Amino acid sequence: MKTNLLTIKTIYSQLISIFKQNTRGFLSLVSGFFIILIVRMLLSIVDTIFIANEFPIQRIIFMLSTALLVVGIEMGYNKLIFNIIDNDEASLSTVFNYFNLLGQYIIGQLIYCLIVVLVCLPSIIYIVLQYGNKFFEVIYHSILDPYFQELVTSYFNVNELFIILFLLLIPGIYIAIRLSFWLYFIIDKKLTGQEAIKHSWLLTKGKAGEILIIGLCLIVLNIIGLISIIGICFTAPVSYLFFCLYYRYLLANQE
């Protein structure tokens, strides 16, 4: 626990130092977040013109293309943050200039998903052996039902549901923690998707608990910001910056 507090205190000091010494960078940090927020809102509005039953293929293509657009902007935003940390030029144009890394992102994402599927395979096998395809059918047809929990608990044994959730969530959360920095390696170090996955796994060795604590603290911070509505425009950019600083901290102290 002392190590966790020391780490958080160290990164917090770095964050405050950036705010004090680089006012322009701080403004770029907030402005970049607004760009991402506006783009997401506009895409959500445009998405409403599609009627799923009438334009299923068009909507799928739209969702895939907009997802890549948002990812590309997010990558540019994270690069902007690294520029701020390194005291380099913090131009907002950076947000739109890193779409060339999307290829490595796709490769990394495919590897990431494959790892998650392999890790969750025991629970998937358990579900198939226990219930066959009925489990997935009930979940699919009941997901929007207001009596969803009642339907599920009446069909499945509660203890077995607990086992299934345990087999799915625990490995999934662990993998998410261990691979939480793979995208940063692509952005910051220009690594390939495969190399980024490997380096994130090595970087987070023995740090799963610490990363979980920091992640939960940032979630609480953003919930508070969301409650105050306008506060999220400050807490979200700060969270981005904090996690990038934490990534650099782990790199600097990697054994």
Side-chain angles (χ1 to χ4, degrees):
M1 181 60 72
K2 289 183 178 180
T3 303
N4 296 338
L5 291 175
L6 179 61
T7 299
I8 294 174
K9 185 177 179 180
T10 301
I11 298 171
Y12 175 77
S13 299
Q14 294 175 351
L15 189 147
I16 295 299
S17 177
I18 289 174
F19 284 170
K20 289 181 177 179
Q21 299 176 13
N22 194 348
T23 305
R24 183 179 178 182
F26 171 69
L27 293 175
S28 296
L29 178 74
V30 176
S31 300
F33 174 75
F34 271 110
I35 290 174
I36 294 175
L37 191 62
I38 291 170
V39 169
R40 285 182 177 274
M41 290 175 62
L42 289 175
L43 291 176
S44 297
I45 293 171
V46 174
D47 183 50
T48 60
I49 68 174
F50 292 98
I51 302 175
N53 294 332
E54 295 184 12
F55 307 104
I57 297 178
Q58 293 93 322
R59 189 164 189 270
I60 291 172
I61 294 173
F62 175 79
M63 291 177 66
L64 289 175
S65 58
T66 53
L68 290 176
L69 173 62
V70 171
V71 168
I73 294 175
E74 289 265 3
M75 293 173 76
Y77 182 60
N78 279 288
K79 180 58 180 177
L80 172 66
I81 295 174
F82 285 125
N83 286 348
I84 294 171
I85 293 172
D86 296 331
N87 204 26
D88 291 336
E89 183 181 359
S91 172
L92 284 178
S93 61
T94 304
V95 175
F96 302 100
N97 287 327
Y98 278 81
F99 288 94
N100 59 304
L101 298 179
L102 280 176
Q104 295 306 326
Y105 164 81
I106 293 172
I107 293 172
Q109 190 64 52
L110 289 173
I111 297 173
Y112 181 95
C113 292
L114 178 61
I115 293 172
V116 171
V117 169
L118 291 175
V119 169
C120 294
L121 197 58
S123 58
I124 296 173
I125 293 174
Y126 178 85
I127 292 170
V128 172
L129 292 177
Q130 193 73 12
Y131 299 107
N133 294 328
K134 290 184 178 179
F135 179 88
F136 302 102
E137 291 177 5
V138 170
I139 296 297
Y140 175 76
H141 291 296
S142 304
I143 198 67
L144 298 178
D145 196 297
Y147 303 103
F148 170 68
Q149 293 184 348
E150 183 179 343
L151 287 171
V152 171
T153 53
S154 65
Y155 186 84
F156 302 109
N157 182 280
V158 176
N159 293 330
E160 290 179 348
L161 278 176
F162 178 79
I163 293 173
I164 292 170
L165 288 174
F166 181 82
L167 291 173
L168 283 171
L169 290 178
I170 300 303
I173 292 172
Y174 180 74
I175 292 299
I177 291 173
R178 292 298 305 273
L179 301 182
S180 54
F181 297 110
W182 71 272
L183 190 56
Y184 288 178
F185 278 105
I186 293 177
I187 299 166
D188 188 39
K189 301 298 182 182
K190 300 294 190 298
L191 298 185
T192 64
Q194 183 177 355
E195 291 171 337
I197 292 289
K198 178 182 177 181
H199 278 72
S200 180
W201 186 265
L202 294 174
L203 184 66
T204 55
K205 182 180 180 181
K207 298 292 182 180
E210 185 173 274
I211 295 171
L212 180 61
I213 291 172
I214 290 176
L216 291 174
C217 289
L218 293 178
I219 289 173
V220 171
L221 176 67
N222 283 286
I223 289 174
I224 295 172
L226 193 60
I227 292 173
S228 61
I229 302 177
I230 192 66
I232 192 67
C233 298
F234 175 78
T235 58
V238 167
S239 298
Y240 274 97
L241 177 58
F242 192 96
F243 215 61
C244 286
L245 284 169
Y246 180 56
Y247 154 78
R248 284 288 185 83
Y249 175 86
L250 290 180
L251 276 181
N253 294 277
Q254 190 174 19
E255 298 178 357

PDB file of all heavy atoms in Angstrom, residues 148-181:
ATOM      1  N   PHE A 148     -35.337  -8.955 -17.094  1.00  0.00           N
ATOM      2  CA  PHE A 148     -34.154  -9.716 -17.497  1.00  0.00           C
ATOM      3  C   PHE A 148     -33.602 -10.580 -16.362  1.00  0.00           C
ATOM      4  O   PHE A 148     -33.406 -11.784 -16.514  1.00  0.00           O
ATOM      5  CB  PHE A 148     -33.076  -8.746 -17.996  1.00  0.00           C
ATOM      6  CG  PHE A 148     -31.739  -9.387 -18.222  1.00  0.00           C
ATOM      7  CD1 PHE A 148     -31.560 -10.307 -19.237  1.00  0.00           C
ATOM      8  CD2 PHE A 148     -30.662  -9.063 -17.411  1.00  0.00           C
ATOM      9  CE1 PHE A 148     -30.322 -10.894 -19.446  1.00  0.00           C
ATOM     10  CE2 PHE A 148     -29.433  -9.644 -17.617  1.00  0.00           C
ATOM     11  CZ  PHE A 148     -29.255 -10.562 -18.639  1.00  0.00           C
ATOM     12  N   GLN A 149     -33.367  -9.982 -15.200  1.00  0.00           N
ATOM     13  CA  GLN A 149     -32.784 -10.719 -14.084  1.00  0.00           C
ATOM     14  C   GLN A 149     -33.685 -11.853 -13.632  1.00  0.00           C
ATOM     15  O   GLN A 149     -33.222 -12.952 -13.327  1.00  0.00           O
ATOM     16  CB  GLN A 149     -32.499  -9.773 -12.918  1.00  0.00           C
ATOM     17  CG  GLN A 149     -31.403  -8.762 -13.207  1.00  0.00           C
ATOM     18  CD  GLN A 149     -31.090  -7.900 -12.002  1.00  0.00           C
ATOM     19  OE1 GLN A 149     -31.833  -7.902 -11.018  1.00  0.00           O
ATOM     20  NE2 GLN A 149     -29.999  -7.162 -12.085  1.00  0.00           N
ATOM     21  N   GLU A 150     -34.974 -11.586 -13.600  1.00  0.00           N
ATOM     22  CA  GLU A 150     -35.920 -12.623 -13.167  1.00  0.00           C
ATOM     23  C   GLU A 150     -35.932 -13.790 -14.148  1.00  0.00           C
ATOM     24  O   GLU A 150     -35.970 -14.957 -13.747  1.00  0.00           O
ATOM     25  CB  GLU A 150     -37.322 -12.020 -13.050  1.00  0.00           C
ATOM     26  CG  GLU A 150     -38.360 -12.998 -12.529  1.00  0.00           C
ATOM     27  CD  GLU A 150     -39.736 -12.367 -12.401  1.00  0.00           C
ATOM     28  OE1 GLU A 150     -39.810 -11.117 -12.397  1.00  0.00           O
ATOM     29  OE2 GLU A 150     -40.718 -13.123 -12.308  1.00  0.00           O
ATOM     30  N   LEU A 151     -35.891 -13.471 -15.449  1.00  0.00           N
ATOM     31  CA  LEU A 151     -35.891 -14.516 -16.475  1.00  0.00           C
ATOM     32  C   LEU A 151     -34.629 -15.371 -16.389  1.00  0.00           C
ATOM     33  O   LEU A 151     -34.682 -16.601 -16.476  1.00  0.00           O
ATOM     34  CB  LEU A 151     -35.991 -13.873 -17.867  1.00  0.00           C
ATOM     35  CG  LEU A 151     -37.352 -13.282 -18.258  1.00  0.00           C
ATOM     36  CD1 LEU A 151     -37.224 -12.487 -19.549  1.00  0.00           C
ATOM     37  CD2 LEU A 151     -38.382 -14.384 -18.404  1.00  0.00           C
ATOM     38  N   VAL A 152     -33.505 -14.698 -16.207  1.00  0.00           N
ATOM     39  CA  VAL A 152     -32.235 -15.423 -16.163  1.00  0.00           C
ATOM     40  C   VAL A 152     -32.158 -16.309 -14.933  1.00  0.00           C
ATOM     41  O   VAL A 152     -31.794 -17.485 -15.016  1.00  0.00           O
ATOM     42  CB  VAL A 152     -31.056 -14.428 -16.187  1.00  0.00           C
ATOM     43  CG1 VAL A 152     -29.747 -15.152 -15.928  1.00  0.00           C
ATOM     44  CG2 VAL A 152     -30.990 -13.724 -17.533  1.00  0.00           C
ATOM     45  N   THR A 153     -32.497 -15.764 -13.770  1.00  0.00           N
ATOM     46  CA  THR A 153     -32.401 -16.540 -12.540  1.00  0.00           C
ATOM     47  C   THR A 153     -33.410 -17.686 -12.489  1.00  0.00           C
ATOM     48  O   THR A 153     -33.185 -18.684 -11.804  1.00  0.00           O
ATOM     49  CB  THR A 153     -32.624 -15.630 -11.307  1.00  0.00           C
ATOM     50  OG1 THR A 153     -33.850 -14.901 -11.466  1.00  0.00           O
ATOM     51  CG2 THR A 153     -31.476 -14.655 -11.151  1.00  0.00           C
ATOM     52  N   SER A 154     -34.514 -17.542 -13.209  1.00  0.00           N
ATOM     53  CA  SER A 154     -35.498 -18.623 -13.244  1.00  0.00           C
ATOM     54  C   SER A 154     -35.053 -19.762 -14.160  1.00  0.00           C
ATOM     55  O   SER A 154     -35.485 -20.894 -13.996  1.00  0.00           O
ATOM     56  CB  SER A 154     -36.858 -18.094 -13.714  1.00  0.00           C
ATOM     57  OG  SER A 154     -36.775 -17.645 -15.055  1.00  0.00           O
ATOM     58  N   TYR A 155     -34.176 -19.445 -15.108  1.00  0.00           N
ATOM     59  CA  TYR A 155     -33.726 -20.466 -16.060  1.00  0.00           C
ATOM     60  C   TYR A 155     -32.400 -21.091 -15.625  1.00  0.00           C
ATOM     61  O   TYR A 155     -32.177 -22.276 -15.814  1.00  0.00           O
ATOM     62  CB  TYR A 155     -33.566 -19.838 -17.442  1.00  0.00           C
ATOM     63  CG  TYR A 155     -33.234 -20.849 -18.532  1.00  0.00           C
ATOM     64  CD1 TYR A 155     -34.246 -21.578 -19.160  1.00  0.00           C
ATOM     65  CD2 TYR A 155     -31.916 -21.075 -18.914  1.00  0.00           C
ATOM     66  CE1 TYR A 155     -33.943 -22.507 -20.145  1.00  0.00           C
ATOM     67  CE2 TYR A 155     -31.603 -22.005 -19.899  1.00  0.00           C
ATOM     68  CZ  TYR A 155     -32.628 -22.720 -20.511  1.00  0.00           C
ATOM     69  OH  TYR A 155     -32.316 -23.632 -21.484  1.00  0.00           O
ATOM     70  N   PHE A 156     -31.529 -20.276 -15.021  1.00  0.00           N
ATOM     71  CA  PHE A 156     -30.199 -20.758 -14.657  1.00  0.00           C
ATOM     72  C   PHE A 156     -30.048 -20.823 -13.138  1.00  0.00           C
ATOM     73  O   PHE A 156     -30.631 -20.029 -12.407  1.00  0.00           O
ATOM     74  CB  PHE A 156     -29.104 -19.843 -15.216  1.00  0.00           C
ATOM     75  CG  PHE A 156     -29.163 -19.697 -16.709  1.00  0.00           C
ATOM     76  CD1 PHE A 156     -29.572 -18.506 -17.280  1.00  0.00           C
ATOM     77  CD2 PHE A 156     -28.811 -20.745 -17.539  1.00  0.00           C
ATOM     78  CE1 PHE A 156     -29.625 -18.357 -18.651  1.00  0.00           C
ATOM     79  CE2 PHE A 156     -28.871 -20.608 -18.923  1.00  0.00           C
ATOM     80  CZ  PHE A 156     -29.278 -19.415 -19.479  1.00  0.00           C
ATOM     81  N   ASN A 157     -29.234 -21.740 -12.696  1.00  0.00           N
ATOM     82  CA  ASN A 157     -28.887 -21.866 -11.291  1.00  0.00           C
ATOM     83  C   ASN A 157     -27.990 -20.694 -10.882  1.00  0.00           C
ATOM     84  O   ASN A 157     -27.026 -20.380 -11.552  1.00  0.00           O
ATOM     85  CB  ASN A 157     -28.160 -23.190 -11.050  1.00  0.00           C
ATOM     86  CG  ASN A 157     -27.821 -23.394  -9.598  1.00  0.00           C
ATOM     87  OD1 ASN A 157     -26.852 -22.847  -9.108  1.00  0.00           O
ATOM     88  ND2 ASN A 157     -28.614 -24.201  -8.924  1.00  0.00           N
ATOM     89  N   VAL A 158     -28.326 -20.045  -9.764  1.00  0.00           N
ATOM     90  CA  VAL A 158     -27.586 -18.853  -9.326  1.00  0.00           C
ATOM     91  C   VAL A 158     -26.116 -19.172  -9.073  1.00  0.00           C
ATOM     92  O   VAL A 158     -25.226 -18.396  -9.432  1.00  0.00           O
ATOM     93  CB  VAL A 158     -28.227 -18.257  -8.049  1.00  0.00           C
ATOM     94  CG1 VAL A 158     -27.406 -17.073  -7.535  1.00  0.00           C
ATOM     95  CG2 VAL A 158     -29.655 -17.818  -8.327  1.00  0.00           C
ATOM     96  N   ASN A 159     -25.847 -20.312  -8.455  1.00  0.00           N
ATOM     97  CA  ASN A 159     -24.462 -20.697  -8.181  1.00  0.00           C
ATOM     98  C   ASN A 159     -23.667 -20.897  -9.461  1.00  0.00           C
ATOM     99  O   ASN A 159     -22.494 -20.509  -9.557  1.00  0.00           O
ATOM    100  CB  ASN A 159     -24.417 -21.973  -7.345  1.00  0.00           C
ATOM    101  CG  ASN A 159     -24.966 -21.760  -5.945  1.00  0.00           C
ATOM    102  OD1 ASN A 159     -24.862 -20.662  -5.399  1.00  0.00           O
ATOM    103  ND2 ASN A 159     -25.548 -22.803  -5.369  1.00  0.00           N
ATOM    104  N   GLU A 160     -24.331 -21.485 -10.462  1.00  0.00           N
ATOM    105  CA  GLU A 160     -23.654 -21.698 -11.743  1.00  0.00           C
ATOM    106  C   GLU A 160     -23.407 -20.376 -12.456  1.00  0.00           C
ATOM    107  O   GLU A 160     -22.381 -20.192 -13.107  1.00  0.00           O
ATOM    108  CB  GLU A 160     -24.489 -22.636 -12.618  1.00  0.00           C
ATOM    109  CG  GLU A 160     -24.506 -24.068 -12.097  1.00  0.00           C
ATOM    110  CD  GLU A 160     -25.362 -24.985 -12.955  1.00  0.00           C
ATOM    111  OE1 GLU A 160     -26.112 -24.465 -13.805  1.00  0.00           O
ATOM    112  OE2 GLU A 160     -25.276 -26.208 -12.771  1.00  0.00           O
ATOM    113  N   LEU A 161     -24.363 -19.439 -12.326  1.00  0.00           N
ATOM    114  CA  LEU A 161     -24.164 -18.114 -12.904  1.00  0.00           C
ATOM    115  C   LEU A 161     -22.965 -17.419 -12.266  1.00  0.00           C
ATOM    116  O   LEU A 161     -22.188 -16.745 -12.938  1.00  0.00           O
ATOM    117  CB  LEU A 161     -25.416 -17.247 -12.708  1.00  0.00           C
ATOM    118  CG  LEU A 161     -26.550 -17.451 -13.708  1.00  0.00           C
ATOM    119  CD1 LEU A 161     -27.742 -16.587 -13.317  1.00  0.00           C
ATOM    120  CD2 LEU A 161     -26.100 -17.117 -15.122  1.00  0.00           C
ATOM    121  N   PHE A 162     -22.810 -17.601 -10.961  1.00  0.00           N
ATOM    122  CA  PHE A 162     -21.669 -17.023 -10.257  1.00  0.00           C
ATOM    123  C   PHE A 162     -20.365 -17.604 -10.772  1.00  0.00           C
ATOM    124  O   PHE A 162     -19.391 -16.881 -10.989  1.00  0.00           O
ATOM    125  CB  PHE A 162     -21.796 -17.271  -8.752  1.00  0.00           C
ATOM    126  CG  PHE A 162     -20.636 -16.744  -7.959  1.00  0.00           C
ATOM    127  CD1 PHE A 162     -20.548 -15.387  -7.649  1.00  0.00           C
ATOM    128  CD2 PHE A 162     -19.621 -17.594  -7.535  1.00  0.00           C
ATOM    129  CE1 PHE A 162     -19.465 -14.890  -6.928  1.00  0.00           C
ATOM    130  CE2 PHE A 162     -18.543 -17.107  -6.809  1.00  0.00           C
ATOM    131  CZ  PHE A 162     -18.467 -15.750  -6.507  1.00  0.00           C
ATOM    132  N   ILE A 163     -20.346 -18.916 -10.981  1.00  0.00           N
ATOM    133  CA  ILE A 163     -19.143 -19.578 -11.509  1.00  0.00           C
ATOM    134  C   ILE A 163     -18.806 -19.037 -12.895  1.00  0.00           C
ATOM    135  O   ILE A 163     -17.645 -18.739 -13.208  1.00  0.00           O
ATOM    136  CB  ILE A 163     -19.342 -21.106 -11.559  1.00  0.00           C
ATOM    137  CG1 ILE A 163     -19.458 -21.671 -10.141  1.00  0.00           C
ATOM    138  CG2 ILE A 163     -18.183 -21.773 -12.302  1.00  0.00           C
ATOM    139  CD1 ILE A 163     -19.825 -23.132 -10.091  1.00  0.00           C
ATOM    140  N   ILE A 164     -19.845 -18.902 -13.742  1.00  0.00           N
ATOM    141  CA  ILE A 164     -19.645 -18.405 -15.111  1.00  0.00           C
ATOM    142  C   ILE A 164     -19.094 -16.983 -15.091  1.00  0.00           C
ATOM    143  O   ILE A 164     -18.131 -16.655 -15.801  1.00  0.00           O
ATOM    144  CB  ILE A 164     -20.963 -18.464 -15.896  1.00  0.00           C
ATOM    145  CG1 ILE A 164     -21.365 -19.918 -16.148  1.00  0.00           C
ATOM    146  CG2 ILE A 164     -20.824 -17.722 -17.238  1.00  0.00           C
ATOM    147  CD1 ILE A 164     -22.764 -20.083 -16.696  1.00  0.00           C
ATOM    148  N   LEU A 165     -19.696 -16.128 -14.267  1.00  0.00           N
ATOM    149  CA  LEU A 165     -19.237 -14.738 -14.178  1.00  0.00           C
ATOM    150  C   LEU A 165     -17.809 -14.672 -13.642  1.00  0.00           C
ATOM    151  O   LEU A 165     -16.995 -13.864 -14.098  1.00  0.00           O
ATOM    152  CB  LEU A 165     -20.171 -13.934 -13.274  1.00  0.00           C
ATOM    153  CG  LEU A 165     -21.553 -13.620 -13.856  1.00  0.00           C
ATOM    154  CD1 LEU A 165     -22.440 -12.947 -12.812  1.00  0.00           C
ATOM    155  CD2 LEU A 165     -21.427 -12.737 -15.092  1.00  0.00           C
ATOM    156  N   PHE A 166     -17.504 -15.536 -12.680  1.00  0.00           N
ATOM    157  CA  PHE A 166     -16.156 -15.579 -12.110  1.00  0.00           C
ATOM    158  C   PHE A 166     -15.133 -15.977 -13.168  1.00  0.00           C
ATOM    159  O   PHE A 166     -14.075 -15.356 -13.305  1.00  0.00           O
ATOM    160  CB  PHE A 166     -16.124 -16.565 -10.935  1.00  0.00           C
ATOM    161  CG  PHE A 166     -14.773 -16.668 -10.273  1.00  0.00           C
ATOM    162  CD1 PHE A 166     -14.392 -15.731  -9.324  1.00  0.00           C
ATOM    163  CD2 PHE A 166     -13.899 -17.697 -10.608  1.00  0.00           C
ATOM    164  CE1 PHE A 166     -13.137 -15.829  -8.712  1.00  0.00           C
ATOM    165  CE2 PHE A 166     -12.656 -17.798 -10.005  1.00  0.00           C
ATOM    166  CZ  PHE A 166     -12.270 -16.859  -9.052  1.00  0.00           C
ATOM    167  N   LEU A 167     -15.485 -17.017 -13.941  1.00  0.00           N
ATOM    168  CA  LEU A 167     -14.573 -17.497 -14.984  1.00  0.00           C
ATOM    169  C   LEU A 167     -14.397 -16.479 -16.107  1.00  0.00           C
ATOM    170  O   LEU A 167     -13.365 -16.442 -16.770  1.00  0.00           O
ATOM    171  CB  LEU A 167     -15.091 -18.821 -15.563  1.00  0.00           C
ATOM    172  CG  LEU A 167     -15.031 -20.037 -14.637  1.00  0.00           C
ATOM    173  CD1 LEU A 167     -15.725 -21.235 -15.270  1.00  0.00           C
ATOM    174  CD2 LEU A 167     -13.578 -20.386 -14.307  1.00  0.00           C
ATOM    175  N   LEU A 168     -15.420 -15.645 -16.323  1.00  0.00           N
ATOM    176  CA  LEU A 168     -15.349 -14.643 -17.381  1.00  0.00           C
ATOM    177  C   LEU A 168     -14.695 -13.341 -16.914  1.00  0.00           C
ATOM    178  O   LEU A 168     -13.784 -12.824 -17.563  1.00  0.00           O
ATOM    179  CB  LEU A 168     -16.754 -14.336 -17.912  1.00  0.00           C
ATOM    180  CG  LEU A 168     -17.385 -15.357 -18.855  1.00  0.00           C
ATOM    181  CD1 LEU A 168     -18.838 -14.996 -19.107  1.00  0.00           C
ATOM    182  CD2 LEU A 168     -16.625 -15.420 -20.177  1.00  0.00           C
ATOM    183  N   LEU A 169     -15.154 -12.822 -15.785  1.00  0.00           N
ATOM    184  CA  LEU A 169     -14.733 -11.496 -15.347  1.00  0.00           C
ATOM    185  C   LEU A 169     -13.311 -11.452 -14.816  1.00  0.00           C
ATOM    186  O   LEU A 169     -12.527 -10.570 -15.200  1.00  0.00           O
ATOM    187  CB  LEU A 169     -15.697 -10.973 -14.269  1.00  0.00           C
ATOM    188  CG  LEU A 169     -17.106 -10.605 -14.742  1.00  0.00           C
ATOM    189  CD1 LEU A 169     -17.949 -10.149 -13.563  1.00  0.00           C
ATOM    190  CD2 LEU A 169     -17.034  -9.496 -15.792  1.00  0.00           C
ATOM    191  N   ILE A 170     -12.950 -12.379 -13.947  1.00  0.00           N
ATOM    192  CA  ILE A 170     -11.624 -12.326 -13.323  1.00  0.00           C
ATOM    193  C   ILE A 170     -10.504 -12.408 -14.357  1.00  0.00           C
ATOM    194  O   ILE A 170      -9.615 -11.541 -14.377  1.00  0.00           O
ATOM    195  CB  ILE A 170     -11.475 -13.442 -12.263  1.00  0.00           C
ATOM    196  CG1 ILE A 170     -12.533 -13.286 -11.162  1.00  0.00           C
ATOM    197  CG2 ILE A 170     -10.070 -13.414 -11.667  1.00  0.00           C
ATOM    198  CD1 ILE A 170     -12.507 -11.947 -10.468  1.00  0.00           C
ATOM    199  N   PRO A 171     -10.513 -13.417 -15.247  1.00  0.00           N
ATOM    200  CA  PRO A 171      -9.453 -13.449 -16.271  1.00  0.00           C
ATOM    201  C   PRO A 171      -9.508 -12.236 -17.196  1.00  0.00           C
ATOM    202  O   PRO A 171      -8.475 -11.695 -17.589  1.00  0.00           O
ATOM    203  CB  PRO A 171      -9.744 -14.741 -17.049  1.00  0.00           C
ATOM    204  CG  PRO A 171     -10.595 -15.552 -16.152  1.00  0.00           C
ATOM    205  CD  PRO A 171     -11.407 -14.566 -15.370  1.00  0.00           C
ATOM    206  N   GLY A 172     -10.746 -11.805 -17.536  1.00  0.00           N
ATOM    207  CA  GLY A 172     -10.893 -10.658 -18.437  1.00  0.00           C
ATOM    208  C   GLY A 172     -10.317  -9.392 -17.842  1.00  0.00           C
ATOM    209  O   GLY A 172      -9.618  -8.628 -18.517  1.00  0.00           O
ATOM    210  N   ILE A 173     -10.602  -9.154 -16.556  1.00  0.00           N
ATOM    211  CA  ILE A 173     -10.075  -7.972 -15.876  1.00  0.00           C
ATOM    212  C   ILE A 173      -8.555  -8.049 -15.763  1.00  0.00           C
ATOM    213  O   ILE A 173      -7.850  -7.051 -15.977  1.00  0.00           O
ATOM    214  CB  ILE A 173     -10.713  -7.831 -14.476  1.00  0.00           C
ATOM    215  CG1 ILE A 173     -12.201  -7.495 -14.608  1.00  0.00           C
ATOM    216  CG2 ILE A 173     -10.005  -6.752 -13.653  1.00  0.00           C
ATOM    217  CD1 ILE A 173     -12.949  -7.519 -13.296  1.00  0.00           C
ATOM    218  N   TYR A 174      -8.053  -9.233 -15.459  1.00  0.00           N
ATOM    219  CA  TYR A 174      -6.597  -9.405 -15.324  1.00  0.00           C
ATOM    220  C   TYR A 174      -5.886  -9.118 -16.640  1.00  0.00           C
ATOM    221  O   TYR A 174      -4.870  -8.403 -16.668  1.00  0.00           O
ATOM    222  CB  TYR A 174      -6.277 -10.825 -14.850  1.00  0.00           C
ATOM    223  CG  TYR A 174      -4.804 -11.081 -14.676  1.00  0.00           C
ATOM    224  CD1 TYR A 174      -4.115 -10.540 -13.593  1.00  0.00           C
ATOM    225  CD2 TYR A 174      -4.092 -11.848 -15.598  1.00  0.00           C
ATOM    226  CE1 TYR A 174      -2.753 -10.765 -13.430  1.00  0.00           C
ATOM    227  CE2 TYR A 174      -2.734 -12.079 -15.441  1.00  0.00           C
ATOM    228  CZ  TYR A 174      -2.065 -11.540 -14.360  1.00  0.00           C
ATOM    229  OH  TYR A 174      -0.716 -11.756 -14.205  1.00  0.00           O
ATOM    230  N   ILE A 175      -6.431  -9.649 -17.729  1.00  0.00           N
ATOM    231  CA  ILE A 175      -5.828  -9.405 -19.046  1.00  0.00           C
ATOM    232  C   ILE A 175      -5.902  -7.927 -19.399  1.00  0.00           C
ATOM    233  O   ILE A 175      -4.943  -7.342 -19.923  1.00  0.00           O
ATOM    234  CB  ILE A 175      -6.548 -10.241 -20.130  1.00  0.00           C
ATOM    235  CG1 ILE A 175      -6.272 -11.737 -19.920  1.00  0.00           C
ATOM    236  CG2 ILE A 175      -6.084  -9.829 -21.528  1.00  0.00           C
ATOM    237  CD1 ILE A 175      -4.814 -12.119 -20.000  1.00  0.00           C
ATOM    238  N   ALA A 176      -7.034  -7.294 -19.114  1.00  0.00           N
ATOM    239  CA  ALA A 176      -7.195  -5.863 -19.399  1.00  0.00           C
ATOM    240  C   ALA A 176      -6.158  -5.038 -18.652  1.00  0.00           C
ATOM    241  O   ALA A 176      -5.608  -4.067 -19.197  1.00  0.00           O
ATOM    242  CB  ALA A 176      -8.601  -5.412 -19.021  1.00  0.00           C
ATOM    243  N   ILE A 177      -5.860  -5.421 -17.414  1.00  0.00           N
ATOM    244  CA  ILE A 177      -4.859  -4.702 -16.616  1.00  0.00           C
ATOM    245  C   ILE A 177      -3.460  -4.911 -17.174  1.00  0.00           C
ATOM    246  O   ILE A 177      -2.700  -3.957 -17.365  1.00  0.00           O
ATOM    247  CB  ILE A 177      -4.922  -5.160 -15.143  1.00  0.00           C
ATOM    248  CG1 ILE A 177      -6.229  -4.681 -14.503  1.00  0.00           C
ATOM    249  CG2 ILE A 177      -3.726  -4.644 -14.359  1.00  0.00           C
ATOM    250  CD1 ILE A 177      -6.460  -5.233 -13.109  1.00  0.00           C
ATOM    251  N   ARG A 178      -3.118  -6.173 -17.455  1.00  0.00           N
ATOM    252  CA  ARG A 178      -1.760  -6.481 -17.925  1.00  0.00           C
ATOM    253  C   ARG A 178      -1.475  -5.892 -19.307  1.00  0.00           C
ATOM    254  O   ARG A 178      -0.330  -5.601 -19.644  1.00  0.00           O
ATOM    255  CB  ARG A 178      -1.544  -8.002 -17.954  1.00  0.00           C
ATOM    256  CG  ARG A 178      -1.519  -8.673 -16.596  1.00  0.00           C
ATOM    257  CD  ARG A 178      -0.367  -8.169 -15.722  1.00  0.00           C
ATOM    258  NE  ARG A 178       0.916  -8.310 -16.367  1.00  0.00           N
ATOM    259  CZ  ARG A 178       1.666  -9.422 -16.317  1.00  0.00           C
ATOM    260  NH1 ARG A 178       1.219 -10.477 -15.657  1.00  0.00           N
ATOM    261  NH2 ARG A 178       2.841  -9.462 -16.898  1.00  0.00           N
ATOM    262  N   LEU A 179      -2.525  -5.702 -20.109  1.00  0.00           N
ATOM    263  CA  LEU A 179      -2.327  -5.180 -21.461  1.00  0.00           C
ATOM    264  C   LEU A 179      -2.815  -3.729 -21.590  1.00  0.00           C
ATOM    265  O   LEU A 179      -3.056  -3.252 -22.688  1.00  0.00           O
ATOM    266  CB  LEU A 179      -3.058  -6.063 -22.474  1.00  0.00           C
ATOM    267  CG  LEU A 179      -2.626  -7.537 -22.510  1.00  0.00           C
ATOM    268  CD1 LEU A 179      -3.401  -8.290 -23.582  1.00  0.00           C
ATOM    269  CD2 LEU A 179      -1.124  -7.670 -22.777  1.00  0.00           C
ATOM    270  N   SER A 180      -2.922  -3.045 -20.466  1.00  0.00           N
ATOM    271  CA  SER A 180      -3.502  -1.695 -20.473  1.00  0.00           C
ATOM    272  C   SER A 180      -2.642  -0.649 -21.172  1.00  0.00           C
ATOM    273  O   SER A 180      -3.123   0.434 -21.505  1.00  0.00           O
ATOM    274  CB  SER A 180      -3.787  -1.243 -19.032  1.00  0.00           C
ATOM    275  OG  SER A 180      -2.625  -1.340 -18.224  1.00  0.00           O
ATOM    276  N   PHE A 181      -1.369  -0.958 -21.419  1.00  0.00           N
ATOM    277  CA  PHE A 181      -0.477   0.042 -22.015  1.00  0.00           C
ATOM    278  C   PHE A 181      -0.036  -0.300 -23.438  1.00  0.00           C
ATOM    279  O   PHE A 181       0.850   0.360 -23.972  1.00  0.00           O
ATOM    280  CB  PHE A 181       0.769   0.232 -21.136  1.00  0.00           C
ATOM    281  CG  PHE A 181       0.460   0.759 -19.770  1.00  0.00           C
ATOM    282  CD1 PHE A 181       0.598  -0.064 -18.659  1.00  0.00           C
ATOM    283  CD2 PHE A 181       0.013   2.051 -19.580  1.00  0.00           C
ATOM    284  CE1 PHE A 181       0.309   0.408 -17.389  1.00  0.00           C
ATOM    285  CE2 PHE A 181      -0.279   2.538 -18.318  1.00  0.00           C
ATOM    286  CZ  PHE A 181      -0.136   1.713 -17.219  1.00  0.00           C
TER     287      PHE A 181
END
